[in-house]
Amino acid sequence: MLFTAGCGEYSEKTVQPEIEEEAKDLIVVGFSQVGAESDWRKANTESMLETFTEENGYELIFEDAQQKQQNQITSIRTFIQREVDYIVVAPVMEDGWDTVLTEAKDAGIPVIVVDRQVAVEDKSLFTCWVGSDFELESRKVCEWLRSYCEVKEIEPDTVGIVNIQGTLGSSAQLGRSKGLREAVGRNGWNLIAEASGEYTQAKGREATARLLRQYDDINVVYCENDNEAFGAIEAIEATGKRVGNDIDKGQIMVISFDGVSEEAINDAKAGKISCIGECNPLHGPRVDKIIKDLENGVTPDKYEYVDEDIFSAVRDVRTVTVDDTDYDIVLLQ
Ligand code: GYE
């Protein structure tokens, strides 16, 4: 650089500094992702990778935690050492963040939490959160089941549910299990058993198969995501039973969450998944907007909930009402 200074014939002289300037201006984001356990997660990762590109003014350091919180803590410490501009974390579970987030705060690095939440007493340990209302998703789906049973004149005490839970201690699991338990209490259904399928197809299949061997009065398998539902369907069909809505005629109904993959939507169209509570994974642009706001001195909302639908191919229920709000079912054809 010094060498070329003043030598007009070197075109690098004018080009070079601009490139360096640009490189310096990139906003460095360290993102700790949960893993690659589900279709939802893959879509979420894609949304983040598509958004945080150099073209959009970012340098992204992406770390996959393989569903282990300890890996996330290690990644966050590395981000702090590397003095990133922002830390973005999709936390595996809610508890256990106080120490590492205090370290980030002491280093003066803003932390944006995405998807699941962190349960920290001191809310100043993170800048803001954006994601889904998992309990609301569950309440909508449970209200769909209540309406369906009402229309079909299925007695509440004949409804026997097993809950294939997500990763225990994650917000998505806590919210979806809470919504179900409350609906069970309110409606007089039977919650026969709960077991985690860790949001994967393989574990969902295993857990469902085990419960089907143990109990013979299961007629609803409530899966806390679609991938577990794929596994549940395989497990049910392997016993020779039929998957479907007609639980008063011996079929086993599968209910789930996400509605992200074509496979899930096709299963719903085919009547194999009766109802899906949508969970929106496209958080890249939302986090981008938050960072832009922060860069411009605008304080983002502490909690930002995204709007979500409810999908079904069953034509008997058209709307569900939760907390005085009506949600039209997106009827799949
Ligand atoms: O529903 C599931 C994923 O936290 C919302 O995690 C997310 C959940 C999603 O593995 O498929």
Side-chain angles (χ1 to χ4, degrees), residues 164 195-210 228 231:
I164 308 301
S196 178
E198 291 171 34
Y199 286 127
T200 68
Q201 180 163 348
K203 290 270 163 64
R205 182 178 52 237
E206 270 171 42
T208 309
R210 195 173 57 245
E228 292 178 341

Side-chain angles (χ1 to χ4, degrees), residues 34 36-41 67 91-92 115-116 132 134 137 167 170-173 176 198-200 224-227 257-258 279-280 283:
V34 169
E37 73 283 1
S38 65
D39 297 333
W40 188 98
R41 188 65 53 197
Q67 297 235 65
V92 174
D115 166 23
R116 304 172 184 174
S132 307
F134 303 113
E137 290 173 353
T167 302
S170 69
S171 306
Q173 178 272 312
R176 290 170 187 164
E198 291 171 34
Y199 286 127
T200 68
E224 290 186 359
N225 83 345
D226 287 335
N227 294 81
F257 296 89
D258 288 350
C279 186
N280 186 315
H283 295 324

Side-chain angles (χ1 to χ4, degrees), residues 316-328:
D316 305 280
V317 181
R318 299 299 174 102
T319 309
V320 291
T321 307
V322 175
D323 280 342
D324 297 326
T325 303
D326 294 337
Y327 299 91
D328 288 339

Side-chain angles (χ1 to χ4, degrees), residues 206-258:
E206 270 171 42
T208 309
R210 195 173 57 245
L211 294 174
L212 287 171
R213 278 196 300 274
Q214 256 176 294
Y215 305 98
D216 56 14
D217 49 353
I218 298 168
N219 52 19
V220 177
V221 182
Y222 174 99
C223 297
E224 290 186 359
N225 83 345
D226 287 335
N227 294 81
E228 292 178 341
F230 302 152
I233 292 166
E234 288 170 353
I236 295 164
E237 289 179 341
T239 66
K241 296 209 168 146
R242 289 199 49 211
V243 178
N245 313 315
D246 295 324
I247 57 176
D248 47 344
K249 299 190 187 83
Q251 293 189 340
I252 299 185
M253 175 187 284
V254 174
I255 288 176
S256 75
F257 296 89
D258 288 350

Side-chain angles (χ1 to χ4, degrees), residues 24-124:
K24 247 194 281 151
D25 278 354
L26 291 179
I27 297 172
V28 183
V29 172
F31 173 41
S32 170
Q33 174 62 295
V34 169
E37 73 283 1
S38 65
D39 297 333
W40 188 98
R41 188 65 53 197
K42 286 174 199 152
N44 178 246
T45 294
E46 221 168 272
S47 169
M48 299 295 275
L49 295 183
E50 269 170 16
T51 304
F52 295 100
T53 59
E54 282 198 23
E55 220 177 23
N56 291 342
Y58 291 101
E59 181 189 330
L60 177 68
I61 309 168
F62 177 86
E63 294 288 344
D64 176 334
Q66 308 197 347
Q67 297 235 65
K68 294 198 179 68
Q69 183 180 35
Q70 193 49 50
N71 291 342
Q72 299 200 290
I73 292 173
T74 306
S75 294
I76 291 173
R77 292 202 167 122
T78 312
F79 297 154
I80 295 171
Q81 269 170 10
R82 290 177 68 168
E83 298 180 353
V84 300
D85 298 311
Y86 294 91
I87 292 173
V88 179
V89 58
V92 174
M93 54 188 75
E94 290 195 350
D95 288 338
W97 294 102
D98 302 80
T99 307
V100 76
L101 293 192
T102 302
E103 291 167 26
K105 189 182 175 191
D106 290 347
I109 303 173
V111 173
I112 299 163
V113 182
V114 67
D115 166 23
R116 304 172 184 174
Q117 300 202 12
V118 292
V120 286
E121 208 149 289
D122 176 2
K123 302 279 185 261
S124 76

